[in-house]
């Protein structure tokens, strides 16, 4: 231990001399000089110097070569290499971004397993009794046409002008899209869409009509799905049956019927080109509004078809010479034989159809009771009557309703021009019927105990301050009721309602078929309460069929396209008697005399026995004629929508003439039948429905009313009907 301690004590630490190596100037000198190097001979030093001389030119040459490469393309090469590199990097990230965006917006769509083509909205084909087309209704306005039923040039025209690479792409035309985008950029506005037919179909089938990036992405995804699931022909068929062609027409069949009055299977090459040209701008290029624009566009379509090899040059030239007759805006409004009148029928059918078949889920055919010939004739009659008399008589609108003895509507005109106004005046316009309401007053008097030979005095009267006057402002003294009704004497009608009571007249009118609210006051005798032409015709039918009330109908049968019956009208239905046979005879004797000796002379038929009544409302605002044979009941109305007075138009002039012409046409070749009923030995033997009912009180209970003494009071009358005071 002692030794160790001693050693530790004797150890000497190294000491550095701070002045060692310093120069004479005091600086630290640690540089090497030649003398410090390892010893070498002069010969070795010479070799080293010679080698250094050889290396210097080589080094300089390499430096020069590198400078030359930089100046002669070495930098461009690096630029190219770097461009390729970064292009690849950014490209990969771009692809990832695109897939990410597509995936994001695709995720917002329903699961692809549930994707399916939505059902085409149900189409309703409406036909007349003989099967001729009245019209199509539904969201599409036409039927679906199978691809094989279309003329080949129809889909070719669409492909040529809308997507000429349709058969060569898989739902997305990258060339067409790029060209469209470049064109839009150059033009500075959206002039081309660039969407393929598959994309357009995807948009129409599944997406909302909004211009967003999300919708375009989803449109593309769905287009790929369509291309993978369906053939090109199937895609074209779907497209052609759903694309919008303007004027409310969806699909080629609806468009063909709308513009050319024919089915899509019947159109020619020029018409097909016209339809194909509409897709770009349906409203602006519609041939019924812009025939010149549609014609120019059709020429472009034909040129495109020739360019794509779908047609030859000769085909194109021939197509340009073929007449393309379209339903122009002018003819739609004014042509007398235009089927616009049928549209009132079609609208009405669609209003009542749900009560028969409920909500539609498939295409159906509705067979109506409409006689197509009578419907067209009625339209011509109304149009011609207005054309010749509109200015002279100051009338601008007309309506007509014709119903047979069981309530089947055979013709119905809702106005002068459907294109100008879709308001159906025959069914919806409530107007004062004037004297055409008087038969209900006289029937109440017959049921009260009077007869056609009952005498009343035509003289000035006052009923609670109301002082009615005759149209002629003259008075005839004592007259029989048959004469008073034939000459439409206002004072006699007012006298009768005062005797039987206004409420009894209301009851009679409602029992026969009037459904509008009637005000029970003395002026009701002159038709001051408003009714529709349809109601008035319904209430006149019992005079024609022997006293039975009918519920008018227009739908006879509804079937699916494969023949399944969804609804069938009961032709054997029971009818309720609402007028006693004796009173039928009395009324028909009087109403017949109206056409022979009274205000309705201009309505008299050559061969058929007929009855009827003229009607003119206050201040000549409405002009009516309501009449019937044992076969048909028809009501005609003329007036103005704004309820303004006419220029003294009355029921005995224009309405009576139109009624007479229509009824003469309707009874051509029909066996003559007398009016039903009998009075004073005069037999009126019409064809009556099965008598299974009786007169109905307002509560629906059957009541039999026999002829009563004229002396029986109103109190006894109601006691007889209702069994109480």
């Amino acid at each position: 231990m002692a030794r160790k301690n001693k050693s530790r004590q004797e150890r000497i630490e190294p000491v550095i001399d701070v002045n060692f190596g310093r120069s004479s100037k005091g600086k630290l000198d640690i540089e090497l000089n030649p003398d410090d190097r390892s010893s070498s001979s002069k010969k070795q030093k010479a070799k080293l110097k010679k080698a250094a001389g050889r290396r210097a030119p080589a080094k300089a040459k390499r430096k020069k070569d590198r400078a030359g490469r930089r100046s002669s393309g070495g930098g461009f090469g690096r630029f190219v290499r770097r461009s390729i590199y970064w292009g690849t990097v950014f490209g990969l990230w771009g692809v990832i971004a695109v897939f990410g965006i597509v995936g994001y917006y695709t995720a917002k769509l329903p699961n692809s397993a549930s994707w399916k083509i939505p059902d085409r909205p149900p189409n309703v084909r409406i036909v007349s009794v003989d099967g001729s087309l009245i019209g199509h209704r539904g969201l599409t306005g036409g039927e679906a046409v199978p691809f094989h039923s279309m003329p080949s040039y129809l889909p070719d025209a669409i492909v040529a002008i809308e997507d000429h690479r349709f058969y060569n792409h898989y739902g997305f035309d990258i060339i067409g899209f790029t060209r469209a985008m470049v064109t839009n950029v150059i033009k500075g506005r959206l002039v081309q869409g660039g969407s393929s037919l598959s994309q357009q179909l995807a948009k129409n089938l599944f997406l909302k009509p909004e211009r967003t990036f999300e919708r375009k992405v989803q449109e593309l995804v769905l287009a790929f799905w369509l291309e993978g699931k369906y053939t090109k022909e199937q895609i074209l068929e779907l497209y052609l049956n759903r694309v919008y062609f303007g004027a409310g027409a969806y699909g080629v069949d609806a468009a063909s019927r709308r513009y050319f009055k024919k089915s899509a299977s019947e159109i020619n090459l020029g018409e097909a080109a016209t339809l194909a040209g509409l897709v770009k701008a349906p409203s602006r290029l519609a041939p019924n509004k812009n025939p010149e624009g549609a014609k120019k566009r059709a020429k472009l379509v034909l040129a495109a078809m020739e360019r794509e090899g779908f047609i030859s040059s000769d085909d194109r030239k021939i197509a340009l010479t073929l007449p393309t007759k379209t339903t122009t805006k002018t003819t739609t409004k004014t042509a007398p034989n235009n089927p616009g009148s049928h549209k009132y029928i079609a609208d009405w059918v669609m209003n009542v159809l749900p009560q028969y078949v409920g909500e539609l889920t498939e295409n159906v055919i509705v067979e109506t009771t409409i006689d197509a010939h009578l419907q067209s004739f009625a339209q011509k009659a109304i149009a011609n009557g207005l054309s010749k008399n509109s200015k002279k008589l100051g009338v601008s609108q007309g309506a007509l309703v014709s119903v047979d003895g069981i309530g089947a509507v055979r013709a119905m005109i809702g106005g002068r021009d459907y294109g100008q106004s879709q308001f159906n005046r025959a069914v919806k316009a409530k107007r004062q019927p004037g004297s055409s309401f008087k038969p209900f007053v006289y029937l109440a008097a017959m049921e009260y105990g009077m007869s056609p030979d009952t005498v009343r005095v035509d003289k000035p009267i006052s009923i609670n301050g109301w002082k009615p006057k005759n149209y002629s402002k003259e008075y005839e003294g004592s007259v029989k009721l048959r004469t008073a009704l034939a000459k439409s004497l206002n004072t006699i009608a007012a006298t009768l309602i005062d005797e039987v009571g206004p409420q009894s007249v209301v009851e009679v009118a409602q029992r026969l078929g009037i459904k509008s609210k009637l005000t029970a006051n003395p002026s009701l005798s002159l038709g001051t309460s408003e009714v529709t032409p349809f109601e008035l015709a319904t209430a006149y039918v019992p005079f024609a069929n022997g006293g039975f009330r009918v519920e008018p109908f227009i739908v006879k049968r509804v079937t699916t396209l494969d023949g399944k019956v969804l609804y069938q009208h009961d032709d054997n239905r029971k009818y309720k008697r609402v007028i006693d046979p004796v009173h039928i005879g009395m009324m028909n004797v009087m109403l017949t005399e109206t056409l022979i000796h009274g205000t309705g002379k201009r309505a008299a038929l050559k061969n058929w026995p007929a009855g009827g009544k003229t009607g003119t409302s206050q201040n000549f605002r409405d002009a009516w004629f309501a009449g019937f044979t044992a076969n048909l009941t028809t009501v005609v109305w003329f007036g103005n929508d704004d309820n303004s007075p006419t220029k003294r138009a009355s029921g005995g002039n224009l309405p009576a003439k139109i009624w007479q012409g229509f009824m003469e046409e309707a009874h051509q070749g029909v066996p003559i039948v007398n009016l039903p009923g009998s009075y004073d030995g005069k037999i009126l033997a019409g064809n009556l429905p099965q008598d299974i009912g009786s007169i109905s009180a307002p509560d629906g209970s059957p009541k039999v009313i026999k002829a009563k003494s004229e002396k029986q009071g109103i109190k006894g009358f109601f006691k007889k009907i209702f069994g109480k005071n």
Side-chain angles (χ1 to χ4, degrees), residues 9 13 15 83 91 144 152 237 268 276 285 352 375 427 460 487 529 615 642 649 689:
Q9 292 175 353
E13 296 295 332
V15 177
S83 297
S152 60
E237 180 179 314
N268 59 41
L285 298 174
V352 301
Q375 179 71 14
V427 176
K487 293 186 176 182
S529 289
D642 61 3

Side-chain angles (χ1 to χ4, degrees), residues 12 25 51 95 116 141 278 329 547 621:
I12 298 173
K25 294 182 180 181
V95 170
K116 65 176 182 178
L278 285 175
K329 187 175 182 179
R621 285 186 170 87

Side-chain angles (χ1 to χ4, degrees), residues 241-439:
N241 280 303
R242 302 188 186 227
V243 69
Y244 184 58
F245 288 96
Y250 289 84
V252 289
D253 187 66
S256 297
R257 296 184 186 281
R258 174 65 184 87
Y259 297 119
F260 309 123
K261 298 182 183 179
K262 62 177 74 173
S263 69
S265 61
E266 299 172 327
I267 62 175
N268 59 41
L269 176 57
E271 292 164 340
T274 300
L275 291 183
L278 285 175
V279 176
K280 178 181 180 181
S283 299
R284 180 169 59 85
L285 298 174
N288 65 328
K289 294 182 179 180
N290 183 10
E292 287 303 316
K295 187 175 182 179
K296 290 180 180 179
R297 179 67 175 170
K299 288 182 179 179
L300 292 177
V301 175
L302 290 170
M305 294 180 72
E306 180 185 354
R307 183 176 63 250
E308 297 302 319
F310 291 128
I311 60 174
S312 66
S313 177
D314 290 340
D315 292 333
R316 179 181 60 81
K317 293 176 182 177
I318 293 174
L320 291 174
T321 62
L322 292 176
T324 303
K325 297 180 180 180
T326 60
T327 55
T328 63
K329 187 175 182 179
T330 302
T331 56
T332 299
K333 286 191 173 183
T334 60
N337 59 350
N338 150 56
S341 64
H342 293 2
K343 294 180 181 179
Y344 288 111
I345 295 291
D347 287 352
W348 190 29
V349 166
M350 293 304 293
N351 286 337
V352 301
L353 191 59
Q355 72 188 57
Y356 300 127
V357 296
E359 184 179 357
L360 291 176
T361 58
E362 59 183 319
N363 295 344
V364 297
I365 300 173
V366 178
E367 300 174 18
T368 70
T369 59
I370 295 297
D371 184 312
H373 173 70
L374 290 184
Q375 179 71 14
S376 296
F377 187 88
Q379 173 64 27
K380 291 179 183 179
I382 295 293
N384 289 335
L386 287 169
S387 177
K388 295 177 181 178
N389 299 278
S390 181
K391 291 184 178 180
K392 181 175 69 175
L393 295 177
V395 293
S396 59
Q397 285 294 346
L400 180 149
V401 181
S402 190
V403 185
D404 69 13
I406 63 171
V409 179
R410 297 304 186 188
M412 191 271 292
I413 305 299
R416 181 178 191 172
D417 172 20
Y418 181 89
Q420 190 176 57
S421 171
Q422 291 78 53
F423 180 67
N424 190 334
R425 294 154 189 84
V427 176
K428 298 180 179 180
K430 291 191 175 185
R431 307 300 291 254
Q432 290 185 348
S435 294
S436 62
F437 190 84
K438 288 178 180 176

Side-chain angles (χ1 to χ4, degrees), residues 27 38 110 117 140 142 155 202 211 224 303 347 366 503-504 506 559 589 626 671-672:
K27 293 183 179 179
S38 59
I117 299 296
T140 58
R211 292 187 174 185
F224 290 150
D347 287 352
V366 178
Q503 187 59 45
S504 67
V506 171
T559 64
V589 163
I672 297 173

Side-chain angles (χ1 to χ4, degrees), residues 65-125:
D65 289 343
R66 285 197 297 270
R69 286 197 297 269
R70 284 197 297 269
S71 62
S72 64
F76 177 74
R78 282 199 303 275
F79 172 77
V80 171
R81 289 193 296 274
R82 289 177 180 178
S83 297
I84 294 174
Y85 171 78
W86 288 112
T88 303
V89 171
F90 286 124
L92 289 174
W93 279 111
V95 170
I96 294 172
V98 167
F99 275 98
I101 293 172
V102 171
Y104 173 75
Y105 288 124
T106 302
K108 291 189 174 184
L109 292 170
N111 190 299
S112 60
S114 64
W115 292 358
K116 65 176 182 178
I117 299 296
D119 293 333
R120 192 172 185 266
N123 175 69
V124 180
R125 178 182 174 87

Side-chain angles (χ1 to χ4, degrees), residues 120-121 139-145 150 154-155 157-159 161-162 196-205 235-256 259 272 274-282:
R120 192 172 185 266
L139 295 179
T140 58
E143 298 174 336
V145 183
M150 300 177 191
L154 179 53
I158 290 288
V159 170
I161 197 65
E162 286 294 313
S196 68
L197 287 177
S198 301
Q199 287 176 273
Q200 293 180 43
L201 177 61
K203 176 185 66 177
N204 293 337
L205 289 177
I235 291 174
L236 271 177
E237 180 179 314
L238 288 168
Y239 180 88
L240 287 167
N241 280 303
R242 302 188 186 227
V243 69
Y244 184 58
F245 288 96
Y250 289 84
V252 289
D253 187 66
S256 297
Y259 297 119
T274 300
L275 291 183
L278 285 175
V279 176
K280 178 181 180 181

